[in-house]
Amino acid sequence: MKLTAAQALVAWLVAQRSETLDGREVPLFPAVFGIFGHGNVLGLGTALQERRDEIPVWRGHTEQGMALAAVGYAKATHRRQIGVATSSIGPGALNMVTAAGVAHANRLPLLLLPGDTFTTRAPDPVLQQVEHFGDATATVNDAFRAVSRYFDRITRPEQLISTLPQAVRVLTDPAEAGPVTLALPQDVQAETYDFPDALFAPVVHRILRPRADERSLTDAATALRDSARPLLVLGGGVRYSGAGRTVLEFAERHGIPIVETTAGRTMVPHEHSLYAGPLGVTGSTSGNVLAAEADLVLAVGTRLQDFTTASWTVFAPEVHLVTINAARFDAVKHGALAVVGDADATVRDLAERTQQWRVDPEWTARASAQRGTWDAHIDKLRAHTPGVPSYAQVVGIVNELSGPNDYVMTASGGMPGELVGGWRASGGAPTMDVEYGFSCMGYELAGAWGAAMARTNGLVTTMLGDGSYLMLNSELFSAAFAGHPFVAVVCDNDGYAVIARLQEGQGGAPFNNFYADCRSIHDEPPRVDFAAHARALGCAVFTATDLDEFRDAYGDARETAARESRPAVLVVRTKPSSWTEAGAWWEVGVPEHLSGRTAYAESKPRQVRYLRP
């Protein structure tokens, strides 16, 4: 089949299929997000136009934003479908590097197709080309190498025959999932080659479920049976494996208390008797109390990031760590007894070896007792008060009015602590995306566009601060134009409030975070009219000044977004210094002359590095 390299790539994308967690067959690459320039418009752009009825192409308005939308799409489909983003060479390509970092940190598949400079070098230097004095082979696309699981530069059309299977291997492998970058020189995109028909035969990519080593399973079962106070930690790998029901049944059989990580949130019904709450800095005191008392931690599908482990102070020094992870890289961390395999398959195999063993009922009962204390604390934070509402109160109303199939998102600032720590899930299906692996400001809006595109049931609500809104809001127009509805709750507290909180909490002077502490030549600097701005981007707009207004406005925003198939933006003033606190430590560098150094010196010795003998 004689095709250009670009036509061959698009034909291959169309042929790839995926199997969802519930067994449905769907396109593996359901959407392309594109901004065309001279480096990709005639090659890849033409090829996409020719197949536009088979693979939808959505126009973005920032390259970073559309690649983040692709990340949000992958998360919303539990890594079963993969968004594609393309840009021209130069600033467009470099704008996507941040999104690649988000996908890489969060173990989410993303296919990036940036244009690249001419392989012939005949017209060098071309528009937007960065020349490297000591390396003629380097282009700006080499910046993707640090944030890609797989990188290739296609310098001949026939290279696609060998590289495409490798690209899809990485994108669909639970152990390696992450961004793939295929740099496409614009002259090569237009070159033709006689490709074999077999390259374009439909292929269905099913869930890989690698089984764990028998000896590792036996060792893990022995460690569990020997423990008196085991704790089950659920991470994002449980979600992507579809193992939520299996893990919950395992915990119920043995009476093991459960906590969740940021990526594992909403897997367990909040009212379940074994649920102790979320874990870590943005978690709950209830979850952290049980973590400190546990003599064994069974961590399933998590890399145990510093916010989850409170910079490795949340567990007891003598605790035994057992990890189940599809990636050996993550499983062997911190001296854990590593069990490498799919979460669902591995927990099932482990259950066969633990049989009728059961935890002391007193330890089992600790979960609901401690969570009850945390719930009472959250109830107080959510209680109705007059005047400007807090984050916790805003989250409480969104939580109350959301249905079991609705989807809530955030990424940065103070909101992750409010959603992770305070949200009460109905359970049964993952309904939260807190991008706190890379904590990328702006993901909240772009990712919501992708999630709204991917979700077929329920409404997406994304929650963000004024800082994130100002950093990346262009995709509000993209979603409004394309017709993808979601609600964006914009909490305006006059600056980067959570960073100011960290700054002042450690004894630093308020500086460059709240607008009041930033340099300006104006006695009365201008304020942003978020409502007017969102309206100008084609969104339905609502505002609120207190809780009663917010409740009514959020209900109206939900109805309007669904009815009009466009984003509804709800702007609300919020308190700048009221937070949900889990009481856990997080290590940051504190200079000796700041008052926070004393607390740092007291907490640092509690930090444990777990190493197996």
Side-chain angles (χ1 to χ4, degrees), residues 460-476:
V460 173
T461 294
T462 186
M463 307 187 71
L464 65 156
D466 51 301
S468 279
Y469 183 97
L470 289 173
M471 190 164 287
L472 192 65
N473 51 59
S474 301
E475 305 321 321
L476 278 174

Side-chain angles (χ1 to χ4, degrees), residues 33 35 48 177 379 409 475 482:
F33 299 86
I35 296 177
L48 287 167
D379 287 341
M409 304 177 64
E475 305 321 321

Side-chain angles (χ1 to χ4, degrees), residues 194-208:
D194 288 321
F195 289 92
D197 292 347
L199 184 64
F200 313 115
V203 178
V204 179
H205 300 274
R206 296 181 172 87
I207 302 168
L208 296 178

Side-chain angles (χ1 to χ4, degrees), residues 223-231 257 293-296 357-364:
L224 270 173
R225 288 193 299 268
D226 289 345
S227 68
R229 301 179 305 282
L231 182 67
E293 296 176 356
D295 63 353
L296 180 140
W357 163 77
R358 191 164 178 85
V359 174
D360 187 326
E362 290 189 9
W363 173 246
T364 301

Side-chain angles (χ1 to χ4, degrees), residues 21-322:
L21 287 171
D22 59 6
R24 292 178 296 110
E25 186 178 314
V26 295
L28 180 63
F29 300 104
V32 177
F33 299 86
I35 296 177
F36 299 129
H38 65 88
N40 66 347
V41 64
L42 297 177
L44 189 58
T46 297
L48 287 167
Q49 183 270 334
E50 292 168 346
R51 306 293 293 265
R52 62 189 180 279
D53 293 334
E54 299 167 273
I55 185 166
V57 178
W58 303 99
R59 171 177 160 159
H61 291 86
T62 64
E63 292 86 359
Q64 178 183 333
M66 65 186 190
L68 288 176
V71 174
Y73 198 113
K75 182 69 173 286
T77 59
H78 319 309
R79 300 199 305 203
R80 295 298 167 260
Q81 292 184 281
I82 301 163
V84 184
T86 179
S87 75
S88 186
I89 184 61
L94 286 179
N95 282 346
M96 297 195 297
V97 172
T98 297
V102 172
H104 198 288
N106 290 281
R107 312 298 203 260
L108 292 169
L110 168 67
L111 179 58
L112 297 172
L113 303 175
D116 212 323
T117 54
F118 285 81
T119 56
T120 64
R121 302 182 189 170
D124 285 8
V126 299
L127 179 68
Q128 297 183 319
Q129 181 174 349
V130 174
E131 297 179 275
H132 297 263
F133 295 178
D135 184 355
T137 68
T139 78
V140 296
N141 285 336
D142 289 291
F144 285 104
R145 293 180 184 273
V147 285
S148 296
R149 293 284 192 180
Y150 184 84
F151 178 92
D152 197 2
R153 179 174 282 112
I154 308 302
T155 57
R156 293 291 308 153
E158 57 267 37
Q159 284 181 259
L160 290 173
I161 299 171
S162 61
T163 204
L164 291 178
Q166 297 300 326
V168 79
R169 169 188 63 83
V170 172
L171 291 167
T172 60
D173 190 330
E176 295 191 51
V180 166
T181 302
L182 301 181
L184 305 173
Q186 61 176 297
D187 52 344
V188 176
Q189 290 183 40
E191 290 184 22
T192 58
Y193 181 77
D194 288 321
F195 289 92
D197 292 347
L199 184 64
F200 313 115
V203 178
V204 179
H205 300 274
R206 296 181 172 87
I207 302 168
L208 296 178
R209 297 201 181 279
R211 314 299 288 224
D213 176 73
E214 294 283 339
R215 293 163 297 181
S216 298
L217 284 166
T218 299
D219 291 345
T222 299
L224 270 173
R225 288 193 299 268
D226 289 345
S227 68
R229 301 179 305 282
L231 182 67
L232 189 55
V233 180
L234 306 191
V238 175
R239 169 182 184 160
Y240 303 133
S241 173
R245 184 67 250 171
T246 297
V247 175
L248 187 56
E249 289 174 353
F250 179 84
E252 290 170 342
R253 175 188 297 181
H254 302 301
I256 306 175
I258 302 170
V259 295
E260 294 174 320
T261 72
T262 298
R265 280 295 270 122
T266 71
M267 296 299 298
V268 181
H270 181 79
E271 299 299 331
H272 197 286
S273 61
L274 293 176
Y275 185 55
L279 182 66
V281 177
T282 54
S284 61
T285 55
S286 54
N288 294 340
V289 165
L290 261 70
E293 296 176 356
D295 63 353
L296 180 140
V297 168
L298 176 59
V300 185
T302 173
R303 60 197 178 109
L304 294 173
Q305 183 230 28
D306 68 335
F307 259 71
T308 296
T309 63
S311 297
W312 287 98
T313 63
V314 76
F315 302 128
E318 67 279 3
V319 76
H320 295 284
L321 292 177
V322 179

